[in-house]
């Protein structure tokens, strides 16, 4: 590294290693730069030439791989926590809005030639509870995360745990919905083909939202593994 640009090159290299929420990443990089600049200025005031002061400040700050790992864990945890809060609100909201839409346009399932078997009603009712089970599990995970953090559990571990919960919280309602669709098709496919346009559009919108949540959940794992 050239003496005059040691701090710039260090921060640039750190930037390239980090993946995560943009605003927090910028804050961490700005904090690192400010700390390095302050340390270099203090060393220069103590008699070191500016180039040597920058090199000493960077050396004292810590090896790049170590600092990058610490900062990455903070980014991963922040993204995972934000994703869990999003899931906590969005999954129940999407379920409620879809159910209201279906009931307004369709009411109960119309009578068909094929009666609904008992196992189908069990599957449908289980799917109706998934959103609330997911919300409860996510809320518990957020509370547990705070408790574990206060007890000294590392940010890397917390980020990976939160990422796993996020993936499960998105996968569960998706699996439940797909199971109901498969069950309905096996009992009487006309019940699916006869969906009104508003209900069909609401279903497409629901899967679009869930797909976005799946992307966020996947990033939780990617960021925590980086």
């Amino acid at each position: 590294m050239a003496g005059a640009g040691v701090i710039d090159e260090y921060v640039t290299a750190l930037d390239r290693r980090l993946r995560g929420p943009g605003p927090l990443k910028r804050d961490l990089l700005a904090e690192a730069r400010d700390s390095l600049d302050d340390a270099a200025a203090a060393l220069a005031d103590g008699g070191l030439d500016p180039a040597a002061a920058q090199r000493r400040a960077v050396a004292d700050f810590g090896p790049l791989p170590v600092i990058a790992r610490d900062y990455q864990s903070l980014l991963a945890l922040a993204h995972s926590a934000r994703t869990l809060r999003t899931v906590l609100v969005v999954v129940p909201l999407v379920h409620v809005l879809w159910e209201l839409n279906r009931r307004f346009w369709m009411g109960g399932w119309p009578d068909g030639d094929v009666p609904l078997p008992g196992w189908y009603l069990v599957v449908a009712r289980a799917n109706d509870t998934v959103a609330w089970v997911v919300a409860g599990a996510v809320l518990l995970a957020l509370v547990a995360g705070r408790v574990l953090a206060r007890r000294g559990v590392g940010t890397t571990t917390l980020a990976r745990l939160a990422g796993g919960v996020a993936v499960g919280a998105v996968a569960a309602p998706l699996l439940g919905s797909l199971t109901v669709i498969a069950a309905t098709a096996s009992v009487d496919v006309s019940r699916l083909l006869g969906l009104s346009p508003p209900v069909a559009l609401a279903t497409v919108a629901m899967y679009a939202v869930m797909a976005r949540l799946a992307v966020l959940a996947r990033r939780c794992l990617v960021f925590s593994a980086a």
Side-chain angles (χ1 to χ4, degrees):
M1 291 183 178
V6 170
I7 290 178
D8 286 340
E9 292 183 20
Y10 185 92
V11 174
T12 299
L14 182 60
D15 183 11
R16 290 172 180 165
R17 286 173 175 253
L18 299 180
R19 303 180 65 184
L24 178 57
K25 180 180 174 180
R26 288 190 292 272
D27 288 344
L28 289 174
L29 292 172
E31 178 183 322
R33 181 180 291 278
D34 289 343
S35 296
L36 289 166
D37 286 340
D38 290 345
L43 290 167
D45 289 343
L48 285 180
D49 68 84
Q54 287 197 32
R55 289 193 296 270
R56 176 69 177 276
V58 166
D60 291 344
F61 193 73
L64 182 62
V66 174
I67 299 301
R69 184 172 63 248
D70 292 342
Y71 279 21
Q72 183 60 50
S73 68
L74 292 173
L75 289 168
L77 182 58
H79 176 78
S80 296
R82 185 176 65 181
T83 298
L84 288 178
R85 290 192 294 268
T86 301
V87 169
L88 177 62
V89 174
V90 171
V91 168
L93 180 61
V94 166
H95 175 73
V96 168
L97 291 177
W98 190 90
E99 281 294 324
L100 290 174
N101 183 284
R102 180 185 68 80
R103 290 179 182 276
F104 179 81
W105 292 102
M106 295 176 57
W109 281 111
D111 294 333
D113 296 332
V114 181
L116 294 175
W119 64 264
Y120 178 88
L121 296 178
V122 172
V123 170
R125 288 167 183 163
N127 182 62
D128 286 341
T129 66
V130 167
W132 310 112
V133 172
V134 164
V138 168
L139 182 60
L140 180 62
L142 288 169
V143 173
R146 288 183 176 274
V147 173
L148 292 174
R150 290 171 182 168
R151 294 185 177 181
V153 176
T155 54
T156 299
T157 299
L158 290 175
R160 290 174 179 170
L161 290 173
V165 173
V167 170
V170 174
L174 272 174
L175 180 61
S177 177
L178 292 174
T179 300
V180 169
I181 289 176
T184 303
S186 68
V187 171
D188 185 2
V189 72
S190 66
R191 296 177 186 270
L192 290 177
L193 299 177
L195 289 177
S196 66
V199 175
L201 288 174
T203 301
V204 171
M206 176 190 71
Y207 281 112
V209 171
M210 295 306 297
R212 176 58 182 168
L213 291 179
V215 171
L216 294 177
R218 179 182 177 277
R219 287 177 182 171
C220 292
L221 299 182
V222 172
F223 293 161
S224 63

